[in-house]
Amino acid sequence: MMKRILCVLLTPLCILSVKSQSNSNLSGKVSDSHLRPIESATIEILNSNWGAISDRNGQFVIRNIPAGSYTVHISAIGFAAIEKEIKIATGSSSPIDIQLEDAAKQLDAVLVTAQKKEEDLQNIPFSISALSSRKVDQYRVWNTKDITAIVPNLYSANPGDDRNVTSIRGITSTSYDPAVSTYIDGVNQFSLDTYIADLFDVERIEILRGPQGTLYGRNAMGGVINILTKQPNNYTTGFAEISFGSFGQQRFNAGIRTPLIKDKLYFGAAAMYDQLDGYYTNDYNDSKFDRQHSITGNYYLKYLASRNWILTLNVKHHNARNHGTFPLAPSVDQAFETPFHLNQNAISQMIDNTLNLSLSINYTGKGFNFSSQSAYQTNHRYYDQPIDGDFSPIDGVTIINNYGNDWNKVKVFTQEFKFSSPASSISKFKWTAGAYFFYQDVPNKQATRFGKDAAYVGAPDSLFSIINTTKAKSYGYAIYGQGTYAVSDKFDITVGLRNDYEHKKSEILAEYQHDPNPDPIFDIVPDTSATASFGAFSPKLGLDYHFDQNHHAYFVYSRGYRSGGLTQLSSDPSQPPLYEYKPEYSNNFELGLKNSAFNNHLRLNISAFYSNITDAQVPTLILPDAITVTKNTGKLETKGVELELASRPIAGLEIDYNFGYNNAKYKTLKISQNGTEVDLAGKHQIFTPSVTSMLAAEYSYSLDKASNYKLIVRGEWALLGDEYFDLANTIEQKSYRLFNARIGFSAKKYEIFFWGRNLGDKKYIAYAYDFGAVHLGNPKTFGVTLKARI
């Protein structure tokens, strides 16, 4: 079996050949605005495996480059990244001089891979935001939910279990099949179970707004969050960072990247320990409820088989222990009357272990580029003791899922092959094409136990427990292609198409225990299985007009697709055990303008969008069964506008402002409540603030130019508009504001910052279930972060 897998993965290596050719060198020097050399600057030729690091004299050389036209990206810590268009003739070796400005004086040329190739953010004809590693540090983004409001019309939160529900433009992940896809280092984080939300040692975060079905496929209806971590190269670099904060917050992370064999074999490793004493107090036993800690790691081994071939092995893991997985108040009133207090009698610890493995193979050639991405993901999540299911001190409902290593362990395998235009191409037509495959295995076993007070939460008197066993397996594949043709120097047309197919199978067994005796009597519902298959075509059309190098307008149409599935309707044996819900589709239209001005000191991007979604999938948590039921219930319409502004008006001052307005309402929506059909047409979409707004200002004052020693002061003001958490719009969070700040000192090799979050100590709902349980956003916190670089 292993031989067959290796044959599939390495077939492209066997069928591709590298032709000998007369190549050239690219050399030069990187310096600052005062012509002082910059050491350790990164020089990359986009969409290739070729690059270099500048030495202590700022000198660099990239050897054996085929003749052609290229885009070179140059970056260095503390300086604004730039891009240069160059042409290399056969046998030439003319050096180039590169000057970088201080990052506080000029905006970065932002490199992204949104269209599965490297290009400048301003050249992409749809809405995309990008956070560089510097921005990630400035905003103190420690988790993917921290990008809320930093990106227009994006909201992300969780009920305390670190499974973030994310909404972009009113398209929200309300079930374990997300509507916003997350990719980490090129690997699709297949479900909410298998992705790692904690962030550290990040190179860049890209957020693609709007459906991305053509290139990213199923479950990218709302958009894509693309996270890239830092990889090793020919120079030894490293860092160590420690943070201490309120509520016992401790965060320690460190990493190193180094060549094991220069120009041939590289190693990288980064690890983090995170700890929190908890925000909530459990009044039942007067103890901290949501105490938690985790260990996360990211390890690389990169091998340069030749100047054209690179193989990269990556291992990621996240091992978390949470002593209060669901810090929820049973009602909105109680959440605000006694904030960050709860009363739960069933106390347990969540054990949450995630492992992600991937192997990437990249080929850079004269005729085309090729990549293969193979990945295996697994997550085992369970509670060591029964967990409280009624969120109260009564002996009502508890949930049990600790049934050993064979249950509640998700396993996913994915494989993607991609071909694209070569970096040296001078053709007017640029293209990307590929194929994608996945297999998922989800064996779940969960018991709902009813105590002596279970009648208070609606449980039947005659039952002691229900044990639900579900074996779900799915597989699917897709082929896709996208091309852009330059009709003229000013006008481009982009056309794309993807075909997805998916097959799902579920087997369900329900056992009903009527008494707690050592040898209880069970009613067993016969084992029931069902299968379903789904497919979709996802087209895309884009028009892009360049007024000049710094200003262009675009229009894009795309179709979104979220796969259908099988869902259990209830634990009642008289009900049909499985229900097939249909795929969800959307038609989306976007107009936008992208502008740069004043020698890249100002960037202003504006967009307007409209989407209509049919067969909207709406999941509902059924109590006391603790079963999530998903049905197609209506049509959703979402529309809005977005603005992103970044500026460097004077030396040392950075101002960023991001604004989004979103009106997302159901045109038709009928759901069942207590056996009665309720019409909720006109209600707002859940987890979708009407407004997101983030204003950030930072001023850096140079204390010693020679050592790059700076005093830095930063403030952030976030506004989130009215938001609803249930389809009937009865659980509402009114508009609120948050204030964050930091002050500190920065030098080339170290920095120290004191920070504060939610300085006004605003109490607000961050997450709520439709049955009324509420989780508040984090309270006011203070802390300090120290970082050293090698």
Side-chain angles (χ1 to χ4, degrees), residues 584-598:
E584 185 178 279
Y585 298 98
S586 66
N587 288 293
N588 313 271
F589 306 86
E590 179 179 334
L591 281 170
L593 291 169
K594 293 194 173 184
N595 308 276
S596 298
F598 306 113

Side-chain angles (χ1 to χ4, degrees), residues 383 385-387 398-403 445-449:
Y383 313 109
Q385 300 294 327
I387 190 171
T398 52
I399 309 299
I400 303 165
N401 75 345
N402 187 1
Y403 289 99
K445 189 172 185 177
Q446 176 175 292
T448 304
R449 177 191 172 276

Side-chain angles (χ1 to χ4, degrees), residues 78 123 214 243 517 580 609 788:
N123 294 331
T214 303
S243 297
N517 295 325
E580 178 182 327
F609 63 89

Side-chain angles (χ1 to χ4, degrees), residues 26-44 52-62 72-77 79-82 84 95-101:
L26 174 65
S27 61
K29 181 179 180 179
V30 184
S31 57
D32 63 15
S33 57
H34 300 285
L35 301 181
R36 293 174 298 201
I38 299 176
E39 183 181 1
S40 299
T42 301
I43 302 91
E44 303 173 83
I53 304 292
S54 62
D55 61 20
R56 65 180 60 187
N57 298 313
Q59 302 285 345
F60 70 91
V61 59
I62 307 174
V72 180
H73 184 85
I74 307 99
S75 61
I77 294 176
F79 295 90
I82 65 170
K84 279 184 171 293
I96 60 173
D97 289 325
I98 300 168
Q99 289 187 12
L100 300 182
E101 282 283 356

Side-chain angles (χ1 to χ4, degrees), residues 235-409:
Y235 279 73
T236 298
T237 60
F239 74 97
E241 179 179 298
I242 60 174
S243 297
F244 298 95
S246 311
F247 301 95
Q249 175 78 65
Q250 299 178 42
R251 196 172 191 261
F252 309 96
N253 59 94
I256 187 167
R257 294 173 290 275
T258 187
L260 299 179
I261 303 174
K262 193 172 179 64
D263 296 323
K264 185 60 65 175
L265 184 64
Y266 311 137
F267 172 76
M272 179 180 71
Y273 174 81
D274 193 12
Q275 175 182 309
L276 180 69
D277 287 346
Y279 302 118
Y280 280 78
T281 297
N282 189 356
D283 294 333
Y284 184 82
N285 59 3
D286 192 29
S287 66
K288 280 295 183 182
F289 182 77
D290 50 335
R291 292 180 294 111
Q292 53 194 280
H293 65 273
S294 66
I295 298 175
T296 309
N298 185 19
Y299 316 99
Y300 280 103
L301 191 64
K302 178 182 285 190
Y303 174 61
L304 277 65
S306 70
R307 60 178 306 277
N308 296 91
W309 289 96
I310 294 181
L311 285 74
T312 305
L313 178 66
N314 180 224
V315 178
K316 293 180 171 67
H317 68 86
H318 179 69
N319 306 96
R321 304 294 182 266
N322 190 333
H323 293 268
T325 309
F326 295 100
L328 299 165
S331 69
V332 174
D333 291 341
Q334 188 168 328
F336 286 103
E337 287 171 3
T338 56
F340 301 104
H341 282 258
L342 47 78
N343 200 336
Q344 296 185 19
N345 65 315
I347 302 168
S348 66
Q349 176 184 231
M350 181 182 74
I351 290 87
D352 192 358
N353 296 321
T354 300
L355 175 67
N356 290 352
L357 309 174
S358 68
L359 172 66
S360 65
I361 303 171
N362 291 281
Y363 166 78
T364 299
K366 187 176 181 180
F368 60 87
N369 291 346
F370 165 80
S371 68
S372 167
Q373 184 79 257
S374 312
Y376 173 77
Q377 305 167 46
T378 181
N379 172 264
H380 189 202
R381 179 193 189 199
Y382 62 94
Y383 313 109
D384 63 347
Q385 300 294 327
I387 190 171
D388 206 310
D390 52 65
F391 313 111
S392 73
I394 69 171
D395 182 16
V397 178
T398 52
I399 309 299
I400 303 165
N401 75 345
N402 187 1
Y403 289 99
N405 197 52
D406 293 333
W407 294 100
N408 305 302
K409 187 173 184 178

